[in-house]
């Protein structure tokens, strides 16, 4: 269940739950505290959400949707004329602009990074990964057709490698903040280009 269809107090629930997970972390976050602040009954909550985990994943759903909408609005056609790895770096730059425009979402992203190693983090990463991301896979296919990759590497291998590396980037460093995440992503893209791209 997500927030795709609004219901009474859905916006209040979203804002309150966001803050509760940021401040308390997933494990200590209280559904009772969230419902009290959102002025929402338990019956209404459990009609839409099975439990705290469902609410947490629904929050991630809506945050991902907001970010994708933002990127679709700010990225220009010329941005997609670059090589694949410059496109990735451009997306990171715009993602940081998104973080500045939506500080609460940025704080939630940092709180999520701190969940690394917990069951909810593993569940979220299994649900939201880049190995099945339609946009990234399409960009890889286009780059492959333009001859941007080494000729000895097959397309399925390239897709799997890039998708896996993006999905597991948080495992490559001791990340605590979004800025650290950005730096690690930049290093990762440089690494991918060195190993996968056709030599200049």
């Amino acid at each position: 269940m997500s927030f795709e269809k609004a219901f009474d107090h859905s916006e209040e629930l979203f804002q309150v739950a966001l803050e509760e997970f940021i401040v308390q972390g997933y494990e200590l976050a209280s559904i009772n505290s969230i419902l009290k602040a959102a002025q929402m009954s338990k019956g209404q909550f459990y009609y839409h959400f099975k439990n705290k985990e469902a609410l947490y994943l629904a929050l991630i759903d809506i945050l991902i949707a907001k970010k994708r909408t933002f990127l679709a609005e700010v990225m220009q056609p010329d941005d997609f004329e670059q090589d694949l790895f410059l496109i990735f770096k451009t997306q990171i730059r715009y993602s940081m602009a998104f973080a500045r425009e939506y500080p609460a979402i940025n704080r939630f992203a940092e709180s999520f990074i701190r969940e690394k190693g917990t069951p909810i983090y593993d569940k979220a990463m299994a649900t939201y990964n880049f190995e099945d991301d339609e946009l990234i896979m399409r960009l890889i296919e286009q780059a492959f057709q333009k001859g941007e990759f080494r000729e000895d590497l097959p397309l399925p291998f390239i897709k799997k490698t890039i998708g896996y590396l993006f999905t597991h980037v948080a495992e490559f460093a001791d990340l605590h903040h979004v800025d650290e995440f950005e730096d690690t992503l930049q290093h990762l893209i440089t690494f991918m280009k060195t190993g996968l791209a056709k030599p200049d």
Side-chain angles (χ1 to χ4, degrees):
M1 174 66 199
S2 71
F3 291 89
E4 290 178 358
K5 294 184 178 179
F7 49 86
D8 288 346
H9 304 298
S10 60
E11 184 60 28
E12 293 92 336
L13 178 65
F14 168 74
Q15 297 296 340
V16 170
L18 194 67
E19 190 65 22
E20 178 77 4
F21 286 123
I22 289 169
V23 174
Q24 301 295 340
Y26 176 79
E27 191 63 32
L28 296 179
S30 166
I31 290 297
N32 287 336
S33 296
I34 292 171
L35 297 184
K36 182 178 179 180
Q39 299 182 342
M40 185 177 185
S41 70
K42 286 187 177 181
Q44 187 179 21
F45 174 81
Y46 287 109
Y47 178 80
H48 293 285
F49 303 98
K50 181 179 178 180
N51 49 30
K52 181 168 71 172
E53 177 185 290
L55 174 62
Y56 192 81
L57 295 178
L59 281 174
I60 295 177
D61 266 344
I62 198 169
L63 300 184
I64 289 174
K66 281 180 176 290
K67 184 174 180 179
R68 284 179 173 168
T69 299
F70 179 88
L71 291 177
E73 290 173 350
V74 299
M75 289 197 74
Q76 303 299 312
D78 287 350
D79 292 327
F80 293 98
E81 296 302 319
Q82 308 172 100
D83 70 57
L84 177 67
F85 302 101
L86 285 177
I87 292 174
F88 287 158
K89 289 189 174 185
T90 299
Q91 288 178 326
I92 292 173
R93 188 173 70 251
Y94 286 136
S95 293
M96 296 312 295
F98 173 81
R100 289 189 294 272
E101 185 163 336
Y102 298 96
I105 295 177
N106 184 48
R107 290 168 58 223
F108 180 84
E110 291 186 343
S111 74
F112 177 72
I113 291 172
R114 292 193 293 271
E115 298 288 350
K116 187 174 70 170
T118 67
I120 191 61
Y121 180 90
D122 293 340
K123 179 69 176 287
M125 293 305 294
T127 304
Y128 309 100
N129 66 73
F130 292 96
E131 295 183 45
D132 297 318
D133 188 279
E134 183 177 340
L135 174 59
I136 289 180
M137 295 302 112
R138 187 165 67 247
L139 290 173
I140 293 171
E141 289 173 359
Q142 292 171 354
F144 186 84
Q145 292 169 0
K146 291 192 293 185
E148 294 181 11
F149 297 108
R150 286 169 38 185
E151 296 179 357
D152 59 326
L153 298 177
L155 180 59
F157 173 83
I158 295 170
K159 284 183 172 181
K160 186 73 174 177
T161 299
I162 293 177
Y164 181 88
L165 290 174
F166 274 139
T167 299
H168 297 275
V169 62
E171 299 173 16
F172 302 150
D174 185 18
L175 304 176
H176 295 91
H177 301 288
V178 169
D179 288 345
E180 297 174 33
F181 193 75
E182 180 191 13
D183 290 342
T184 300
L185 274 172
Q186 294 285 0
H187 297 325
L188 182 65
I189 292 170
T190 299
F191 170 80
M192 287 192 294
K193 181 172 183 178
T194 301
L196 299 174
K198 182 182 293 184
D200 294 330

